[in-house]
Amino acid sequence: MPYMKLKIKQVLKSKFTWISLLAILLGCFYFWTKNYNSRYINPRITEARENIAVEKKNIKYYQKQLKKSNLTKTNRHKIELDLAENKSSIKEFKTLIKSIQTNKWQKAYQIIIKQEKYNLADAKRNNANKDDLLPLESNIKKLQYLARNNLPEENEHYSVKGGFF
């Protein structure tokens, strides 16, 4: 027993023990904070917030255009349609943010898939080649699979869990 006490005292007096213990604790703290913060960092949320800001600027612009008295009836109708579309887009982006934050993935994926299909149709209208369309189509298929299984989207830059082992 005295030999064991001697070894414990040697370990506790060693500077290497405290340095390695501190390094282990800092590593654990780093992964804990990364896991904790990864719930709030989602590129779709930041993108949606940026889109909301752009749509709000567009709404202000269209409202100024509507106040002009020299608009023709067709131009006024077109601006009103654009204004209504921007308002519905803002509502859609807010719904997307809320569904991601509350982990309602099926609802979020419906909105994302709708946006991706619009991007695909836009690319087809602009006569994009097949190599440019393939990533869009595969992304839609991946999102549909995730929506069916109610799984969060994960990639190497924004993982669901912050630390990998």
Side-chain angles (χ1 to χ4, degrees):
M1 197 65 159
Y3 181 72
M4 190 64 128
K5 286 184 182 179
L6 175 68
K7 288 298 178 185
I8 290 173
K9 283 184 181 180
Q10 284 178 346
V11 167
L12 292 176
K13 285 186 177 182
S14 173
K15 290 181 183 177
F16 180 72
T17 301
W18 295 108
I19 291 172
S20 60
L21 185 62
L22 182 65
I24 290 170
L25 290 175
L26 286 174
C28 290
F29 181 74
Y30 169 75
F31 283 114
W32 179 75
T33 56
K34 192 166 170 97
N35 285 339
Y36 182 77
N37 290 332
S38 70
R39 294 183 297 171
Y40 304 109
I41 300 172
N42 191 320
R44 301 245 186 229
I45 291 176
T46 55
E47 182 181 320
R49 287 184 179 143
E50 290 169 359
N51 287 337
I52 287 173
V54 169
E55 296 294 337
K56 285 182 178 179
K57 286 180 183 178
N58 288 342
I59 286 174
K60 287 180 184 177
Y61 173 75
Y62 288 134
Q63 287 173 342
K64 286 180 184 177
Q65 292 295 318
L66 282 176
K67 290 180 182 176
K68 291 183 179 179
S69 60
N70 58 353
L71 290 174
T72 63
K73 189 174 183 178
T74 57
N75 284 344
R76 179 172 293 281
H77 182 67
K78 185 178 182 302
I79 290 173
E80 288 171 350
L81 287 176
D82 289 340
L83 190 61
E85 183 181 338
N86 286 337
K87 287 180 180 177
S88 68
S89 293
I90 287 177
K91 185 178 178 184
E92 192 174 76
F93 287 129
K94 286 182 180 180
T95 306
L96 175 65
I97 290 171
K98 189 171 183 170
S99 354
I100 290 174
Q101 288 174 340
T102 57
N103 292 329
K104 295 181 180 173
W105 296 108
Q106 288 179 336
K107 191 173 187 179
Y109 286 137
Q110 288 174 355
I111 296 169
I112 297 169
I113 290 170
K114 180 181 169 188
Q115 292 170 352
E116 290 293 324
K117 284 183 177 179
Y118 177 79
N119 292 339
L120 180 64
D122 189 43
K124 286 181 179 177
R125 271 195 306 270
N126 293 330
N127 296 325
N129 60 2
K130 190 144 178 104
D131 293 336
D132 294 337
L133 296 177
L134 193 60
L136 291 172
E137 292 170 349
S138 67
N139 192 28
I140 290 172
K141 295 287 185 192
K142 178 184 83 168
L143 291 170
Q144 288 172 342
Y145 173 80
L146 291 172
R148 271 194 313 272
N149 295 312
N150 199 23
L151 296 170
E153 185 177 17
E154 184 173 351
N155 62 30
E156 61 191 42
H157 301 293
Y158 299 99
S159 62
V160 175
K161 290 290 184 186
F164 297 110
F165 292 98

